[in-house]
Amino acid sequence: MIVCVNEGERELVIKRSRFIAISRHIEARDDVNAMIDALKSEHVGARHICYGYIADEKGDDFGYDDNGEPTGTAGKPIYSAIAAADARKTCIAVVRYFGGIKLGAGGLTRAYRESAAELIAEVGVSKAEKYAVVEMCCGNEAYKRANAVLRGLNCTILQIRYESNVTCTVLVMASKLSELTKTLDFLKAEYAVVGERYVAVE
């Protein structure tokens, strides 16, 4: 179980500069690049798009970027706000439209930290549970038996295809994965764990 910042957006105006904070759930650090690229396309006139993130469960895979602001005044304060919320799998970017008045290093640091912290306070956080993504393939009779177990484990079927065999992609709580695989082994079904993701539980 981890805590993630809910997705959302909040704007702060300081001395005519607009600071637009955006939070997104991420599964890995590669998601950060996609998020920033999308924001660059959306906010073509912005002077800076700075960000901080924590991409893993333990908080060891983190990073931040000042994107041209003085070193240490933007990305790190954003990251610090995420860490202070004890959040994981979260990226917050702050888009700055320069208003013509320089804020100084201290003013910038406060502005970026405040933008991220106020966004977190507004959108809140949610607990998220780790799930495994399993691809399985078995005969129709075996699938009927497996399906009863899937329902009992509260699995979510993401995709299913009926042909000579039944092929499906299933989302199962990580803590219940071994119970599912025991059933699939008993039914001699083919399966593979192909990934994981976190799903909000509240």
Side-chain angles (χ1 to χ4, degrees):
M1 188 83 73
I2 61 171
V3 168
C4 300
V5 176
N6 293 326
E7 296 193 351
E9 183 175 315
R10 188 181 195 281
E11 182 172 331
L12 182 68
V13 179
I14 300 176
K15 293 184 178 179
R16 297 207 297 268
S17 279
R18 296 171 60 206
F19 294 85
I20 305 169
I22 302 105
S23 55
R24 293 287 184 269
H25 173 76
I26 58 173
E27 289 295 336
R29 71 165 66 188
D30 288 346
D31 294 341
V32 176
N33 294 329
M35 174 184 173
I36 300 305
D37 287 344
L39 289 175
K40 286 179 180 177
S41 297
E42 182 181 350
H43 296 276
V44 178
R47 177 72 67 89
H48 306 280
I49 300 180
C50 309
Y51 62 86
Y53 68 86
I54 298 177
D56 66 341
E57 303 94 333
K58 295 181 179 180
D60 297 330
D61 186 3
F62 64 89
Y64 41 82
D65 192 316
D66 295 314
N67 191 226
E69 295 281 32
T71 302
T73 63
K76 192 170 184 178
I78 297 169
Y79 157 76
S80 296
I82 299 171
D86 201 28
R88 302 288 186 266
K89 298 282 187 175
T90 296
C91 180
I92 293 179
V94 178
V95 178
R96 183 189 182 193
Y97 286 88
F98 183 53
I101 300 173
K102 293 184 177 180
L103 302 181
L108 284 172
T109 302
R110 286 190 295 274
Y112 280 102
R113 184 189 303 116
E114 186 177 342
S115 294
E118 289 191 3
L119 172 65
I120 294 170
E122 182 172 295
V123 302
V125 298
S126 293
K127 293 179 180 179
E129 188 73 55
K130 186 176 183 178
Y131 280 71
V133 182
V134 180
E135 290 183 353
M136 54 178 282
C137 179
C138 58
N140 285 283
E141 288 304 314
Y143 176 73
K144 289 178 183 177
R145 298 174 66 182
N147 193 35
V149 176
L150 296 177
R151 289 198 304 268
L153 297 176
N154 293 320
C155 297
T156 300
I157 298 176
L158 303 176
Q159 188 177 12
I160 189 165
R161 187 171 67 253
Y162 295 95
E163 294 176 335
S164 56
N165 287 321
V166 179
T167 303
C168 62
T169 304
V170 175
L171 197 61
V172 59
M173 194 177 295
S175 60
K176 297 179 179 179
L177 176 61
S178 62
E179 192 172 343
L180 174 62
T181 57
K182 284 178 184 176
T183 298
L184 297 179
D185 285 334
F186 176 77
L187 295 173
K188 295 181 171 53
E190 297 179 6
Y191 67 89
V193 179
V194 296
E196 64 180 40
R197 67 178 66 171
Y198 278 84
V199 178
V201 295
E202 61 176 40

